[in-house]
Amino acid sequence: MHLTQLNWECLLHLFTFLDKNSRKSLAQTCHKLLEVFQDPLLWSLLNFRSPAELKKDNFLLGPALKYLSICWYSERVKVCNIEDWMKNNLQKNFCNRHENTVNDFLLEVCNRCPNLLSLTLSGCGHVTDDCMLLILMNCPNLKTLKLENCVRITDKTLEAVTLYGGSLQTLHVDFCRNITQIALERVREKCPLVMLRAERSANMIPDSKPQKELMLEKPSRKL
């Protein structure tokens, strides 16, 4: 029997065993397999290992997406975690290549994937509070939100959780250094049913803008 003689359900099942690149390669062999590749039911789960993978055309975003993770564990993540005003030109040039990549992708998720149930972001140093706010507003069924080492995430995201995270059951904000203990306590108070975890976040040294540092230096000099 030829592969294309299998029924649609069997072909979908076979595609699930392949990674994104293999699915794309197989889809390019004939029109029928391309149609299977484009079936939204095939794309209920997406895992990415770097921002560069988000720019490829080897996947499909649609309302069937339920589980999404973008986990970047490369050494280059450390560059993105440096405060913007402390980066040298080489580090700035590196970040400029992908600074908006994850945020832009998540905006597409907001528009196309209203049924998202789980979102995991790790090492995404450029993801902003505004982006998380839109995710919570546009994905009302979101049950799990896990953020790890996302340095631009602040108490604003936790405030958005108390306002729009009505379906949330699990919230992780691990190693997010600009999260405060006060905001964590507010989430526990407003959302007692949410399983909240914040490993090291409130105990890390938060970023402080240069203007704030200068304001602290002037009184010390007077003294």
Side-chain angles (χ1 to χ4, degrees):
M1 177 182 289
H2 192 272
L3 178 64
T4 55
Q5 292 179 301
L6 294 173
N7 62 37
W8 194 267
E9 289 74 17
C10 288
L11 290 174
L12 273 176
H13 185 64
L14 288 175
F15 264 79
T16 61
F17 291 97
L18 305 177
D19 60 27
K20 294 188 291 296
N21 287 330
S22 299
R23 291 179 184 182
K24 181 66 176 180
S25 299
L26 183 58
Q28 293 174 338
T29 60
C30 74
H31 181 71
K32 182 173 182 179
L33 294 179
L34 177 61
E35 290 181 344
V36 177
F37 175 84
Q38 294 172 339
D39 192 322
L41 295 178
L42 183 63
W43 303 102
S44 62
L45 183 150
L46 283 173
N47 295 315
F48 299 94
R49 292 176 293 180
S50 76
E53 292 186 9
L54 303 176
K55 297 182 178 181
K56 296 182 179 180
D57 60 347
N58 58 359
F59 61 90
L60 184 71
L61 276 183
L65 181 63
K66 300 290 182 63
Y67 307 94
L68 171 64
S69 70
I70 307 172
C71 298
W72 197 23
Y73 299 117
S74 168
E75 285 292 317
R76 292 173 289 181
V77 172
K78 295 179 181 179
V79 177
C80 299
N81 287 342
I82 300 173
E83 293 91 331
D84 291 339
W85 58 87
M86 294 182 64
K87 292 175 183 174
N88 57 38
N89 289 332
L90 180 63
Q91 292 167 333
K92 289 180 180 178
N93 289 334
F94 170 76
C95 286
N96 286 338
R97 300 174 192 169
H98 61 266
E99 183 171 4
N100 298 316
T101 302
V102 178
N103 282 321
D104 290 344
F105 179 81
L106 291 177
L107 291 179
E108 290 294 321
V109 171
C110 289
N111 295 327
R112 302 185 186 182
C113 313
N115 300 312
L116 189 68
L117 296 178
S118 175
L119 174 63
T120 299
L121 302 176
S122 180
C124 299
H126 298 295
V127 171
T128 63
D129 292 317
D130 291 339
C131 193
M132 287 296 98
L133 171 62
L134 291 175
I135 285 286
L136 289 165
M137 293 178 63
N138 291 278
C139 303
N141 300 319
L142 192 68
K143 297 183 182 299
T144 301
L145 178 60
K146 297 181 179 180
L147 305 175
E148 179 187 56
N149 201 14
C150 298
V151 294
R152 292 194 181 183
I153 295 301
T154 71
D155 292 352
K156 293 181 180 179
T157 291
L158 297 185
E159 180 65 22
V161 166
T162 64
L163 296 174
Y164 305 105
S167 298
L168 268 186
Q169 298 176 356
T170 301
L171 174 63
H172 292 178
V173 282
D174 299 332
F175 299 93
C176 298
R177 64 175 179 255
N178 291 304
I179 295 292
T180 68
Q181 189 64 43
I182 294 176
L184 292 172
E185 292 299 330
R186 182 172 177 82
V187 172
R188 292 189 178 100
E189 177 186 350
K190 297 288 185 179
C191 311
L193 299 180
V194 174
M195 295 181 60
L196 176 62
R197 191 182 80 183
E199 185 176 350
R200 296 286 300 277
S201 291
N203 296 324
M204 300 177 76
I205 299 175
D207 297 342
S208 57
K209 294 184 178 180
Q211 293 84 353
K212 293 182 179 180
E213 293 175 356
L214 290 174
M215 291 174 64
L216 291 173
E217 287 178 4
K218 289 181 180 179
S220 63
R221 287 176 183 173
K222 290 181 181 180
L223 291 172

